[in-house]
Amino acid sequence: MYHILASEQFSPQQLEGLFVKADAFRETDKNIGDRREVMVRHFGRLVVSMFYEASTRTKFSFGIAAKKLGISVEGTENASEFSSAAKGESIEDTVKVLNEYGIDGIILRTKEEGHANLAASVSKVMVINGGDGKGEHPTQAALDMYTIRNEFGRLDSHNVVIGGDLAHGRTARSLALLLSKYPNNKITFVSTPELQISEDIKAKLREHNTQYKETSEMFDALRDANVVYWTRLQLERLNKEEQLSLGQESFVLGAAALEVLPKEAIIMHPLPRQGELPVTTDDDPRARYFRQAGNGLYVRMAMLDDNMQDLA
Amino acid sequence: MYHILASEQFSPQQLEGLFVKADAFRETDKNIGDRREVMVRHFGRLVVSMFYEASTRTKFSFGIAAKKLGISVEGTENASEFSSAAKGESIEDTVKVLNEYGIDGIILRTKEEGHANLAASVSKVMVINGGDGKGEHPTQAALDMYTIRNEFGRLDSHNVVIGGDLAHGRTARSLALLLSKYPNNKITFVSTPELQISEDIKAKLREHNTQYKETSEMFDALRDANVVYWTRLQLERLNKEEQLSLGQESFVLGAAALEVLPKEAIIMHPLPRQGELPVTTDDDPRARYFRQAGNGLYVRMAMLDDNMQDLA
Amino acid sequence: MYHILASEQFSPQQLEGLFVKADAFRETDKNIGDRREVMVRHFGRLVVSMFYEASTRTKFSFGIAAKKLGISVEGTENASEFSSAAKGESIEDTVKVLNEYGIDGIILRTKEEGHANLAASVSKVMVINGGDGKGEHPTQAALDMYTIRNEFGRLDSHNVVIGGDLAHGRTARSLALLLSKYPNNKITFVSTPELQISEDIKAKLREHNTQYKETSEMFDALRDANVVYWTRLQLERLNKEEQLSLGQESFVLGAAALEVLPKEAIIMHPLPRQGELPVTTDDDPRARYFRQAGNGLYVRMAMLDDNMQDLA
């Protein structure tokens, strides 16, 4: 049994183990007979899903993942308001109580950075970090890596363009760190100077000898890319000026951008999107972002399947 | 596979097919052995329940219907606040992502008219409209028809009084339209002049040669009725003056009204109710509104059972 | 079939019946094979969980209890806002409709005292009161008693210290009443004069010849105790002055208090806690409050198991 707390905890070997499982679950999901066999596998297990912050994709894909594995789910999507948190209970107390309920795991989404670690520090059953504020979102990082591996059959030797609000974007940061664990990946960070990737990430890339560039010229960057990872402007985290600085056409992955992008490239986006990714791009054969979201289901099934406590 | 989007989409033949199934599910629900047989039928299936607006009855009856059929349910009852909608995601993007999660259907309640159609336009799995703002509520319309058919064994040749705030009441409008698909039904609309049934409905009734009258005299109307369909004053949709105009005793289905109503008539109401239907009426042997609500379970079971995507 | 509405409804015989079942469920929960056997027991059953007020512990432990028994659960954790209650529907109407959905029970948490009784008065299936405002919380009372019985093997002849805000604390009041049904229990109520246990409780204790004392001297009280039941300051129910009067070190169950407490005593608390129970106390071998919370799962499994409607 292990906790899933930070994207950097995964070694390439561990990820590959999860991805092989995810491949298998993608196949068994197509067939009702296979689905039924998978559903009896963890019959008798139960996980708790505690969401202190909004998140359709993470909540739904984990909830569906558990149910498709035959794991019962008890949970709340509004823990801040409708749980003892409203009465001032600490995350540790909540987790200690949940541990007494004969459960096999806790899926946790918090507003506060570090709360998943606090939860894990007192939990006897696995804690999966479904996002802790500005902190980590390791299951998103894993599904992003799975998407690249699933499309190209490898995780090394990619030319990856990561764009958007990189100063605040958790998913962009995690993807860069995980890519640095594989040889020969080159990363180009595309953003305005104010919203570029932060120094701590760049230091880690240098440590791993991963080549990277920073630029605000999207078109130049796209010309050599085989993976484009575009991200949302997290308007809720920005002030007005920063919002304006990103509202430029030069960061929109639309028709003009698609023209310079190589034919064999893929386009990813963690969704939800805003103006940076127009719906017209959906019809482009290189668009993979909806499939990417769907990959989250199978990667999360793999994580849950891997990670149940021992029971006699 | 088909979507359920608007009450008018149902032909009498389709409705009767659903109602025969509903009858069967009402029977199997009485017995634990039969319940168990029904529960294995769709084991391995999963539907998503997305509610962007409050609704106990629709949410609960669909959730219970799915679970009684052995279908897993993942969902949210507060999609507006706790989903990506809060980050500005379009309904189409949400549906496209859900389609990637190996699901067999989406039950959708939205605030905005037309959103169920938008959802269906991008969905590979069935979308069931559980109410789209001022738009359609086809499963309510179907259960209303089922109630009449269940009580009388037929859907033609009824003398139906439909009363309340007909200008805004979605259920009253749909019921009138569905009744017009059967021969010899007569409808009397009872309301104040300001809140009478709208012209588009009357035009459709004329097209189908369905006789109708408009009146504000409840007592006159009740004398010949065999079905009374009374509706709530949707106070939240009215201004002060309109509220006052309806607050008259002459629209209350109480003791005096019950005296003039024929013995063999039935009283329906979509619930929740306000002053227009006093609790003293509950003891009247003609009251059917709680049973009507319960019919919603079995009609919705029939719809879900009918309507799963093909899987190998 | 019976409703669970008030802690006083339980006779010692009934409680012991539930506790024997709870013991058994605690055992079967340790083993995946046994868990699976329990889960098929009520396959085909369904309960509704209606929470009009926040409550992690009660909601989660009931939801988990039902699922571990193989009972399907449909529910809402925010009934006030997202159900027909928002449209002014009475609790009786809501319950009458739910009764039509082929359900086997209703678990109800309300803001208003007396609503569980109203619900039971119109329900054909069991209603379990999961807390009705300032009223009753009988399942909490039962799990508190179970904890004492589980630790000592008996429910008589205890020396129980009950402390905190006793004027408003529902759990403290119910525990005192249930203890009075067993011989030779002595109760010491520790609080400020303003927040002491109310006269109605004391009258009942005298009626049952249960010895009790009132004091504001925590240390004196602890010296002879074998059960300490400490409770939260319900700050949300107090005015500023009352809050201040309780904020004194003399009501904190910390290191100094632990020194005077006998070695064989146990420390209970209904949780969540505030300053009255420091986290440093968690490491004390006498602390039982997390286990106490967990006991709630098994007692609630016993209640649900006991209490399904008859079906052919």
Side-chain angles (χ1 to χ4, degrees), chain B:
Chain B
M1 195 279 295
Y2 56 96
H3 302 299
I4 296 177
L5 299 174
S7 49
E8 280 199 274
Q9 81 179 63
F10 294 118
S11 69
Q13 289 74 13
Q14 273 181 300
L15 282 182
E16 184 58 22
L18 289 170
F19 295 166
V20 168
K21 275 198 180 181
D23 284 345
F25 285 130
R26 177 182 284 286
E27 282 312 302
T28 52
D29 203 29
K30 292 175 180 164
N31 182 294
I32 190 74
D34 288 344
R35 278 195 190 181
R36 289 174 176 193
E37 266 181 49
V38 171
M39 274 192 73
V40 297
R41 188 181 301 207
H42 293 292
F43 182 70
R45 300 283 189 176
L46 190 147
V47 295
V48 161
S49 167
M50 288 287 279
F51 278 67
Y52 290 83
E53 195 187 49
S55 169
T56 323
R57 239 166 294 285
T58 309
K59 179 201 174 298
F60 274 51
S61 59
F62 260 121
I64 293 172
K67 286 163 189 167
K68 281 181 178 278
L69 288 165
I71 301 170
S72 299
V73 182
E74 175 61 31
T76 176
E77 57 183 324
N78 195 0
S80 307
E81 222 175 302
F82 298 113
S83 80
S84 297
K87 299 179 189 163
E89 181 166 81
S90 72
I91 186 77
E92 292 98 324
D93 273 16
T94 300
V95 168
K96 280 179 178 177
V97 169
L98 292 176
N99 266 260
E100 298 287 332
Y101 287 159
I103 66 173
D104 298 285
I106 300 170
I107 298 151
L108 194 65
R109 169 82 157 220
T110 66
K111 283 179 184 159
E112 304 296 328
E113 193 172 343
H115 270 195
N117 287 300
L118 286 177
S121 73
V122 297
S123 182
K124 292 170 291 183
V125 300
M126 76 160 164
V127 171
I128 298 184
N129 183 0
D132 61 329
K134 295 179 181 174
E136 290 277 344
H137 195 7
T139 65
Q140 175 73 44
L143 79 89
D144 289 340
M145 294 297 279
Y146 176 62
T147 300
I148 299 173
R149 179 262 197 199
N150 202 256
E151 295 290 336
F152 293 100
R154 61 168 213 280
L155 281 163
D156 58 289
S157 313
H158 290 292
N159 199 342
V160 182
V161 169
I162 301 180
D165 170 8
L166 308 179
H168 305 89
R170 179 165 66 173
T171 59
R173 295 163 50 89
S174 294
L175 180 63
L177 290 177
L178 281 180
L179 285 168
S180 77
K181 297 193 175 189
Y182 297 80
N184 300 319
N185 287 317
K186 292 176 195 166
I187 305 177
T188 308
F189 296 107
V190 178
S191 194
T192 61
E194 305 80 30
L195 295 172
Q196 262 296 358
I197 197 82
S198 63
E199 183 51 38
D200 60 328
I201 302 293
K202 290 187 283 184
K204 290 214 174 157
L205 296 184
R206 288 191 299 267
E207 205 181 288
H208 286 84
N209 294 314
T210 302
Q211 283 187 43
Y212 68 87
K213 284 198 291 223
E214 295 165 88
T215 177
S216 56
E217 298 298 321
M218 176 180 72
F219 290 94
D220 282 356
L222 293 176
R223 257 177 263 278
D224 300 321
N226 76 322
V227 174
V228 180
Y229 191 91
W230 220 237
T231 65
R232 188 165 65 90
L233 318 187
Q234 305 219 7
L235 293 177
E236 66 270 29
R237 304 198 201 263
L238 300 182
N239 63 42
K240 279 267 159 70
E241 260 175 58
E242 288 172 317
Q243 286 182 27
L244 281 173
S245 80
L246 260 176
Q248 300 161 31
E249 181 115 336
S250 49
F251 292 98
V252 173
L253 209 67
L258 294 175
E259 273 199 19
V260 305
L261 186 68
K263 218 173 113 182
E264 71 282 5
I266 64 169
I267 303 168
M268 298 172 66
H269 191 293
L271 302 176
R273 59 178 154 184
Q274 286 174 334
E276 78 283 355
L277 181 62
V279 292
T280 50
T281 299
D282 298 2
D283 297 328
D284 191 285
R286 292 163 291 186
R288 289 294 185 285
Y289 31 92
F290 290 114
R291 185 175 172 100
Q292 175 190 358
N295 286 337
L297 173 66
Y298 301 109
V299 168
R300 286 168 179 130
M301 284 180 79
M303 287 171 168
L304 288 171
D305 183 62
D306 231 29
N307 212 1
M308 293 285 112
Q309 63 165 326
D310 283 337
L311 276 180

Side-chain angles (χ1 to χ4, degrees), chain C residues 86-104:
Chain C
K87 299 179 188 163
E89 181 165 81
S90 72
I91 185 77
E92 292 97 324
D93 273 15
T94 299
V95 168
K96 281 179 177 176
V97 169
L98 292 176
N99 266 261
E100 297 287 331
Y101 287 159
I103 66 173
D104 299 283

Side-chain angles (χ1 to χ4, degrees), chain A residues 74-92:
Chain A
E74 175 62 30
T76 177
E77 56 183 325
N78 195 1
S80 307
E81 222 175 301
F82 298 113
S83 80
S84 297
K87 299 178 189 163
E89 181 165 81
S90 72
I91 185 77
E92 292 97 323

